[in-house]
Amino acid sequence: TQLLEQSPQFLSIQEGENLTVYCNSSSVFSSLQWYRQEPGEGPVLLVTVVTGGEVKKLKRLTFQFGDARKDSSLHITAAQTGDTGLYLCAAFTGTASKLTFGTGTRLQVTL
Amino acid sequence: DAGVIQSPRHEVTEMGQEVTLRCKPISGHNSLFWYRQTMMRGLELLIYFNNNVPIDDSGMPEDRFSAKMPNASFSTLKIQPSEPRDSAVYFCASSPGISSGTDTQYFGPGTRLTVL
């Protein structure tokens, strides 16, 4: 059983469209992170959310942490081809530094 | 400042051979992590070190895998003997290790391992 389930698994959209990616769990987390991974590279941290209900914006990306701190969403407004990549949510579990990653959402944005 | 450095970037070997992956973390970072990424299982933590000491190796799949961190600037992940199912991309990451729960992990570019 995966601790962090992401949906959808795959998403193919055209430039200019909006999209939302979800990260769900039955566990409560003290914090949650979102990473983006481009082909041939390692994941890069986008944001860390800590407080239940917290909303953070990073240009066209909006991140929300659920009130109960069990889930999170990533919304992209007016997607661009540069947004193409694998989006991973991750949470610290067990020992303080141990990061568990979600199943991932692979996004393809075309012209 | 250089990021996390991994070598080699690609490794092709035959079943039964020993494979050694290398990592140089970002200078000053106290924590180092080894991950494995496959299509089937996603990104999995294998082992992590804090101040060169292994803290959690519960993700190491079996005795064929071993990891060392002899000093703050170098770590290795060894597979002996290698098997085709070990084929994956192996990532090394480091973090400052200052703030538990919010630390940023910085990933290297990965080593793509193919075991024939």
Side-chain angles (χ1 to χ4, degrees), chain A residues 2 99-102, chain B residues 33-38 40-47 59 61 88-91 107:
Chain A
Q2 270 286 3
L99 200 58
T100 298
F101 281 84
Chain B
F33 308 83
W34 282 101
Y35 290 90
R36 178 173 66 178
Q37 187 174 40
T38 62
M40 290 295 294
R41 300 177 66 90
L43 193 59
E44 302 174 285
L45 177 67
L46 299 177
I47 184 171
V89 181
Y90 291 81
F91 288 101
F107 284 76

Side-chain angles (χ1 to χ4, degrees), chain B residues 8 22 25 36 41 59 61 63 69 73 77 79 81 86 101 106 110 115:
Chain B
R22 298 174 176 79
R36 178 173 66 178
R41 300 177 66 90
D63 292 344
M69 192 165 185
S73 59
L77 177 68
I79 308 173
D86 301 330
Y106 296 84
V115 183

Side-chain angles (χ1 to χ4, degrees), chain A residues 2 10 30-33 35 37 40-45 48-50 86 88 92-103 106, chain B residues 9 31 33 35 37 39 41-43 45 48 50 55-56 58-59 91 95 97 99-110 112:
Chain A
Q2 270 286 3
F10 302 96
S30 58
S31 63
L32 191 140
Q33 299 184 326
Y35 288 77
Q37 183 179 13
E41 298 181 10
V44 175
L45 180 68
T48 301
V49 285
V50 179
L86 178 66
L88 296 160
F92 289 94
T93 59
T95 54
S97 298
K98 186 171 180 175
L99 200 58
T100 298
F101 281 84
T103 49
R106 195 167 296 277
Chain B
R9 292 294 312 273
S31 297
F33 308 83
Y35 290 90
Q37 187 174 40
M39 288 295 292
R41 300 177 66 90
L43 193 59
L45 177 67
Y48 84 89
N50 186 252
I55 302 300
D56 187 336
S58 59
F91 288 101
S95 72
S99 175
S100 63
T102 57
D103 245 8
T104 298
Q105 292 191 15
Y106 296 84
F107 284 76
R112 181 173 294 277

Side-chain angles (χ1 to χ4, degrees), chain A residues 27-32 48-56 63-73, chain B residues 102:
Chain A
S27 301
V28 176
F29 302 111
S30 58
S31 63
L32 191 140
T48 301
V49 285
V50 179
T51 307
E54 181 177 4
V55 176
K56 280 191 173 179
F63 304 85
Q64 184 162 8
F65 200 13
D67 290 341
R69 290 184 286 123
K70 291 183 179 183
D71 54 82
S72 181
S73 64
Chain B
T102 57

